[in-house]
Amino acid sequence: CHSTGVEREHSGEGARAIPLSGHVGFDSMPDQLVNKSVNHGFCFNILCVGETGVGKSTLMDTLFNTKFEGEPTQHNQPGVQLKSNTYELQESNVRLKLTMVNTVGFGDQINKEDSYKSIVEFIDTQFEAYLQEELKIKRTLHSYHDTRIHACLYFIAPTGHSLKSLDLVTMKKLDSKVNIIPIIAKSDAISKSELTKFKIKITSELVSNGVQIYQFPTDDETVAEINSTMNGHLPFAVVGSTEEVKIGNKMVKARQYPWGTVQVENENHCDFVKLREMLIRVNMEDLREQTHTRHYELYRRCKLEEMGFKDTDPDSKPFSLQETYEAKRNEFMGELQKKEEEMRQMFVQRVKEKEAELKEAEKELHEKFDRLKKLHQDEKKKLEDKKKFLDDELNIFKQKKTAAELLQSQAQQAGGSTTLKRDKERKKQVTLVTHPAFTNTFSITYPRSVERLYFTFN
């Protein structure tokens, strides 16, 4: 390049860098990235896991030197509920979109066997949302609000003995999905000697149970020394407080007790400063990078493999996404045709069975119809015979009635003439008898059968 005075020499092993004879300007690339990042802003998402009353909200207020406003949570849920709040913070000219996720009700249940499931589901849901955004044809990742969890602060109760089974199970389920930073909450509740033994005990149990916690990176020379030293202080023993107490000539965040005062930012009292340095000032970007390159990539790979996508074919040759799609599509179409054939055969079989059932039912109906028809004919014949019998009886009755009426009329005629004759005879038989004792008295003697008497007086 004659315009820039750059000369290049090629050897068998590759290109050899030659010092520039003049200023080019690509040394401003870091400044360009910084300006772009500052203008765009940053996002950081923290998951706080711990039992109720262990001091999660107080510690977050102390970490960011801000009183986060939020509605009080009710601890009457049957399971663990994750509550997310997003805040816009600004320090100097740097803007930070901070999302804090709190596990409400964690450890409150009698049966804590499934307490971790809702946390795992929440983390996977955020990964799935980012993956769906990546798989879109028209992506907007530059303006997408990344909700993936970058750091998990796991609060351990200051028992001084050992980790609870709930803590071990939960961290074991989360270590492949999020960067876990274990901290001992309310560490001023136990003495320094007990705290040292407690740290050793926790580290030993995490190693023996295969729990992978986040290790501060030591590959960068600028932070290798401090990160290596801080890895030996894990888990951090912290104390949180937003109350300010006057110590000497300055106001400091502290907690006052009858026996003394615990200064939050005093490294001789607790590890709060170490946690803030490692989490925010030194390794925040590495936590974001680890989330994307390690945890999200693992989730993405497993998800795509479940969907049938792969990078190489059985012969270990490169397998493009288009070929994977075609192979998957052909496999799907083959399975679909197979299912269609099975459904068709099943449909034909069911149709045959149904036709046989219908034929059997039709046969039964015909037989029933024949039986009813024969029964109807028999009943009809019986009714016709009975009707004929009744008609004959009626004719005989009419004949008898006619004969009886004829005889009655003849008898009435004959009876009338006989009555007249009898009356005449009765009239002739009537006699008057005079009683000897009474000259004006008379008696009549007549037969009992005479109905009417006719008197004639001369």
Side-chain angles (χ1 to χ4, degrees):
C1 297
H2 299 286
S3 61
T4 59
V6 178
E7 297 181 358
R8 301 179 64 88
E9 293 183 1
H10 296 275
S11 62
E13 298 179 356
R16 182 167 63 91
I18 302 298
L20 298 174
S21 59
H23 182 72
V24 177
F26 55 76
D27 58 349
S28 64
M29 283 291 293
D31 297 331
Q32 296 177 32
L33 292 176
V34 170
N35 294 333
K36 182 179 179 181
S37 299
V38 169
N39 292 331
H40 186 266
F42 301 90
C43 72
F44 191 61
N45 307 320
I46 301 178
L47 171 65
C48 298
V49 182
E51 298 180 3
T52 302
V54 80
K56 300 186 290 296
S57 300
T58 303
L59 182 64
M60 297 308 297
D61 291 346
T62 311
L63 270 176
F64 291 93
N65 197 23
T66 303
K67 181 62 178 178
F68 295 108
E69 296 180 358
E71 297 179 358
T73 55
Q74 300 294 331
H75 296 273
N76 54 3
Q77 300 294 332
V80 180
Q81 180 183 8
L82 278 81
K83 187 176 181 181
S84 177
N85 293 308
T86 302
Y87 306 93
E88 295 281 350
L89 305 180
Q90 184 167 351
E91 191 173 41
S92 298
N93 62 335
V94 179
R95 291 178 294 107
L96 176 67
K97 182 179 286 187
L98 176 66
T99 301
M100 292 189 302
V101 183
N102 191 13
T103 54
V104 180
F106 182 78
D108 292 347
Q109 295 75 30
I110 297 177
N111 183 7
K112 304 177 179 62
E113 184 178 355
D114 298 333
S115 297
Y116 69 90
K117 289 186 178 180
S118 57
I119 304 175
V120 173
E121 289 175 0
F122 179 84
I123 296 173
D124 287 344
T125 301
Q126 313 315 311
F127 284 154
E128 181 65 23
Y130 193 87
L131 177 61
Q132 292 301 323
E133 185 65 26
E134 272 194 338
L135 295 178
K136 286 182 179 179
I137 297 176
K138 187 178 180 180
R139 300 182 297 179
T140 56
L141 292 175
H142 63 281
S143 60
Y144 176 76
H145 180 208
D146 189 3
T147 58
R148 296 173 296 176
I149 301 300
H150 300 127
C152 172
L153 296 181
Y154 196 95
F155 290 73
I156 301 172
T159 60
H161 299 290
S162 60
L163 287 172
K164 299 178 182 179
S165 58
L166 173 64
D167 299 330
L168 287 172
V169 171
T170 304
M171 282 193 279
K172 184 63 177 176
K173 296 294 182 180
L174 297 179
D175 63 355
S176 62
K177 296 180 178 295
V178 70
N179 302 311
I180 299 177
I181 301 177
I183 58 176
I184 302 173
K186 296 183 177 181
S187 61
D188 53 344
I190 55 177
S191 64
K192 278 196 171 184
S193 59
E194 291 175 341
L195 187 59
T196 303
K197 294 178 182 178
F198 193 33
K199 283 188 175 184
I200 296 173
K201 183 69 174 177
I202 291 173
T203 304
S204 175
E205 289 183 349
L206 292 176
V207 173
S208 61
N209 287 276
V211 178
Q212 300 292 328
I213 63 174
Y214 175 73
Q215 295 290 323
F216 302 118
T218 57
D219 52 354
D220 188 355
E221 294 181 358
T222 58
V223 294
E225 184 178 355
I226 184 173
N227 281 347
S228 179
T229 303
M230 291 301 172
N231 283 330
H233 287 280
L234 290 173
F236 293 132
V238 298
V239 177
S241 176
T242 56
E243 298 179 2
E244 291 189 351
V245 179
K246 188 173 183 180
I247 304 295
N249 296 326
K250 61 179 181 178
M251 302 295 291
V252 295
K253 292 183 176 65
R255 298 183 69 89
Q256 285 186 321
Y257 297 97
W259 45 263
T261 303
V262 177
Q263 299 179 28
V264 173
E265 296 180 337
N266 190 336
E267 295 191 42
N268 294 324
H269 293 182
C270 68
D271 297 332
F272 173 79
V273 175
K274 296 183 179 65
L275 173 64
R276 185 174 61 187
E277 290 285 333
M278 292 296 99
L279 180 66
I280 301 175
R281 296 183 180 176
V282 179
N283 298 302
M284 179 183 282
E285 184 57 32
D286 184 73
L287 287 167
R288 288 158 42 90
E289 183 181 352
Q290 285 292 323
T291 299
H292 182 78
T293 60
R294 179 186 171 192
H295 302 295
Y296 171 69
E297 285 298 322
L298 177 62
Y299 175 85
R300 178 178 176 274
R301 185 185 69 188
C302 295
K303 196 70 176 179
L304 293 179
E305 286 178 352
E306 289 178 3
M307 296 170 63
F309 293 99
K310 50 189 176 180
D311 295 329
T312 57
D313 58 8
D315 298 331
S316 299
K317 294 182 180 179
F319 209 55
S320 66
L321 184 63
Q322 180 66 24
E323 293 174 339
T324 304
Y325 171 76
E326 291 295 336
K328 194 67 180 177
R329 184 177 183 277
N330 294 334
E331 180 183 355
F332 174 76
M333 294 301 296
E335 292 179 357
L336 182 62
Q337 291 178 357
K338 183 178 180 181
K339 287 183 179 180
E340 287 180 352
E341 183 64 23
E342 291 177 356
M343 292 178 67
R344 191 183 68 81
Q345 295 292 339
M346 186 182 297
F347 176 76
V348 171
Q349 181 66 23
R350 288 187 178 181
V351 168
K352 289 181 179 179
E353 293 176 357
K354 198 67 178 178
E355 286 180 350
E357 292 178 1
L358 292 174
K359 287 181 179 179
E360 186 67 24
E362 184 181 4
K363 183 179 179 182
E364 293 178 358
L365 287 175
H366 280 299
E367 293 177 354
K368 186 176 181 180
F369 176 76
D370 293 340
R371 289 196 302 270
L372 291 175
K373 186 177 179 180
K374 184 178 180 182
L375 181 63
H376 173 72
Q377 291 176 352
D378 295 341
E379 292 292 333
K380 184 178 179 181
K381 184 177 180 182
K382 289 180 181 180
L383 289 174
E384 289 177 351
D385 294 342
K386 191 171 184 179
K387 183 175 180 296
K388 184 179 179 182
F389 175 76
L390 291 175
D391 290 340
D392 295 341
E393 290 287 331
L394 182 61
N395 293 330
I396 294 172
F397 174 76
K398 287 180 178 179
Q399 292 176 2
K400 289 182 179 181
K401 181 180 179 183
T402 304
E405 291 177 349
L406 181 61
L407 291 174
Q408 185 177 5
S409 62
Q410 293 176 356
Q412 288 179 353
Q413 293 176 359
S417 57
T418 305
T419 302
L420 292 174
K421 290 179 179 180
R422 288 179 179 176
D423 290 341
K424 292 178 179 180
E425 291 177 355
R426 286 174 183 170
K427 286 181 178 181
K428 293 177 179 180
Q429 294 177 357
V430 175
T431 58
L432 293 175
V433 180
T434 303
H435 197 276
F438 303 94
T439 54
N440 295 328
T441 304
F442 61 91
S443 62
I444 301 173
T445 304
Y446 58 92
R448 293 175 179 270
S449 60
V450 177
E451 295 178 358
R452 296 177 181 178
L453 295 178
Y454 297 92
F455 298 94
T456 305
F457 295 94
N458 295 322

